[in-house]
Amino acid sequence: MRASVALTSLASLMKWRCLLLACLCFYVLFNGVAQAQDSRWPLNWGDWETATGDWGGYRTKLNDVGIDPELNYTHDIMANPVGGERQSAAYAGALGANINFDFEKLMGLSGTSFSLGLYQGLGRDLSGEDINNVFDVAQIFIGDVFGISQMNILQTLANDRVEIAIGRLSAGADFAFSEAFPLYVNSAVNGNPAQLLENLPSFTTPPFSQWGVRGTVKPEDFLYLSVGAYNADLNAQDNEDQGFNFKFNPEDGVLVIAEGGVLVGQEKTSAYLPGRYMLGGYYDTSDYTPFTDANATEEGNWGLYFIANQMIYEEQPDQGLNLWGLFTLAPQQSINSLPYGVSGGAYYKGLLDSRDNDITAGAFYLGFFSDDLPGQTYELVFEVNHRFQFAEWFYTTVDGQYVVNPNGQTNISDAWVVGFEMSVDF
C-alpha cells in the first residue's frame, strides 16, 4: 500500500514537472527570437524579473498602458519517514494567474484598478491523509480545485492614504498577515495563522475568496486601520463542482474584521530598526454547531489576534536578523477547536557568505485544543528551513519539521517531516 502511494505521488510529480518544463521551454524559445539582439542572452536569465522575461518588450508595453499579467507555480514535496499514522510522501502544488488593470492609465480614472485571478490546486495532503495533524506540513495544498482567487475593484484616495476595495476578496490578503509568514512551509502561519482558519471557516486565505468590502485609512506613514466585511456562508466558497461560485447571501452570515497596526523604523534615516506590530479582532454572525451537541446552534463567534515582527540586528540594509511572534484568542471553547495559540520564530536574510538574498528561518507553532474535545490537548510543531533565492523569480526552500502530538492526540506518534518547496514567477 505504501509503495502504491509513493508511486502515485511520483507519477503525479513527474507529470506536473514535465508540464512545467514544457512551459519553460516554450517561453525560452519564444523569448529567444526577441532577445537575440542581447549578446548576453540567456546568460542574464537570473537578472530577469520573471522567468519569461519581457516578452520581447511586449510586457513593458502592456505595463505602460496599465495591464500587468502574473503567473506563479509553487509546489511542496514532503515526506514523513518517521511518525504519524503512516509513513508516506506527497506532492502538492498550485498554479495561480492574475491580471491587474490600472484604470488610471487605461481610462484616466485616478487611483482606480481592477484585479482578476484564477487558481488550480494539484496533488494531495500529507498531513490530512497520512500524518493526521492540524498544522498542515505543506502550506501550498489547497485541494484539486479550480476557481476565482480575486475579482475586485480598488480605489485609492487622498494621496493613497485611503483605500477602498470591493468584490471577490481574500480576507487573509489584508488581515492577520506578516511578511515573515511566507518564509515557512508549514500552514500554521503561511499564509495566515491556522488557528483563525480552523476556528473561523469564513476567513478566506489566498487563493480562496468571498464577496466583501475592505477599507484602509493611513493617517500617518507609520499608522493604519483596516476594516472589512465579508460574506460568511461556506457554500459560497464551494468550487469543487461549480468552478466559479458567485453566491452572495449575507443573510446566512457576515464576517467583520478590524485591524490596527504601527510600523516603526521604515525611513532610512530612522533611529529604529524596521518593525511592524498589529492587533486585530473579528466577529462572525453565522450559526455554529457546538462540539457537545450536534442538534444545537450558537449564534456568533469572535476572537482576537496580535502579531509582531521586529528586526533586531541589521548587517546591512535589507539584511539581518528578525524576530516575530503571534498570539490568537477565540474564547468560545464550545465552538472553537483551537481557542488559544502561540507561535514565534526568527529569520536571517544573508546569513551565508555570498548568498545575500537567501533566508534562513526557524519557528515553533503551538495550538491548544478546546476542553470540549476529549483526548485532544495540544499540537506543537518545530520548523527549520533555508530558502535559496536563485533569482528574483525563483526560489527553492529546503525544509525540516517535527510534529509533536499530531492532532493533539498522544496515540499518534510524533512525526519527522522533510522536503522542499519550489516557486517560479512567470
Side-chain angles (χ1 to χ4, degrees), residues 255-272:
L255 170 64
V256 179
I257 312 176
E259 177 183 296
V262 176
L263 292 82
V264 299
Q266 303 301 307
E267 300 293 333
K268 293 182 179 180
T269 57
S270 174
Y272 303 97

Side-chain angles (χ1 to χ4, degrees), residues 152-157 160-167 169-171 173-175 211-219 223-230 255-261 276 279 281 305:
N152 55 73
I153 293 176
L154 175 67
Q155 178 68 57
T156 61
L157 303 166
D160 296 337
R161 291 201 177 274
V162 177
E163 289 184 358
I164 301 173
I166 186 169
L169 301 170
S170 178
D174 300 306
F175 296 92
W211 292 106
V213 59
R214 186 264 304 171
T216 299
V217 178
K218 303 174 183 176
L223 186 67
Y224 73 89
L225 174 65
S226 294
V227 179
Y230 305 87
L255 170 64
V256 179
I257 312 176
E259 177 183 296
R276 182 183 177 194
L279 175 66
Y305 60 86

Side-chain angles (χ1 to χ4, degrees), residues 19 27 35 53 97 106 130 186 203 214 218 234 257 263 287 316 364 380 420:
L19 176 61
Y27 281 116
Q35 297 281 352
L106 286 166
D130 300 301
N186 193 289
F203 184 94
R214 186 264 304 171
K218 303 174 183 176
L234 299 186
I257 312 176
L263 292 82
D287 291 336
Q316 55 181 295
F364 74 91
L380 172 63
F420 71 93

Side-chain angles (χ1 to χ4, degrees), residues 134-188:
V134 173
F135 297 143
D136 202 306
V137 298
Q139 60 85 17
I140 201 60
F141 176 77
I142 58 175
D144 187 8
V145 293
F146 172 76
I148 292 177
S149 58
Q150 59 179 325
M151 187 174 65
N152 55 73
I153 293 176
L154 175 67
Q155 178 68 57
T156 61
L157 303 166
N159 294 322
D160 296 337
R161 291 201 177 274
V162 177
E163 289 184 358
I164 301 173
I166 186 169
R168 294 282 302 199
L169 301 170
S170 178
D174 300 306
F175 296 92
F177 176 81
S178 168
E179 57 270 24
F181 293 171
L183 303 178
Y184 299 91
V185 177
N186 193 289
S187 70

Side-chain angles (χ1 to χ4, degrees), residues 282 301-304 329-334 336 338-340:
Y282 59 83
N301 189 11
W302 69 276
L304 302 171
L329 170 67
Q332 296 167 268
Q333 297 209 20
S334 60
N336 291 307
L338 295 171
Y340 309 103

Side-chain angles (χ1 to χ4, degrees), residues 67-200:
I67 301 174
D68 182 17
E70 301 174 346
L71 180 64
N72 173 268
Y73 167 79
T74 301
H75 75 224
D76 293 337
I77 299 177
M78 309 298 290
N80 62 314
V82 177
E85 290 194 333
R86 64 188 64 84
Q87 287 73 57
S88 186
Y91 156 86
L95 189 65
N98 301 304
I99 184 165
N100 304 304
F101 299 91
D102 186 337
F103 284 172
E104 184 168 357
K105 293 181 179 179
L106 286 166
M107 305 177 185
L109 300 177
S110 178
T112 307
S113 59
F114 175 78
S115 298
L116 174 65
L118 302 172
Y119 66 87
Q120 172 65 58
L122 311 165
R124 68 182 195 88
D125 184 12
L126 182 67
S127 281
E129 298 179 29
D130 300 301
I131 302 175
N132 189 20
N133 71 304
V134 173
F135 297 143
D136 202 306
V137 298
Q139 60 85 17
I140 201 60
F141 176 77
I142 58 175
D144 187 8
V145 293
F146 172 76
I148 292 177
S149 58
Q150 59 179 325
M151 187 174 65
N152 55 73
I153 293 176
L154 175 67
Q155 178 68 57
T156 61
L157 303 166
N159 294 322
D160 296 337
R161 291 201 177 274
V162 177
E163 289 184 358
I164 301 173
I166 186 169
R168 294 282 302 199
L169 301 170
S170 178
D174 300 306
F175 296 92
F177 176 81
S178 168
E179 57 270 24
F181 293 171
L183 303 178
Y184 299 91
V185 177
N186 193 289
S187 70
V189 293
N190 189 350
N192 304 94
Q195 289 92 340
L196 269 67
L197 278 67
E198 288 292 324
N199 299 329
L200 200 65

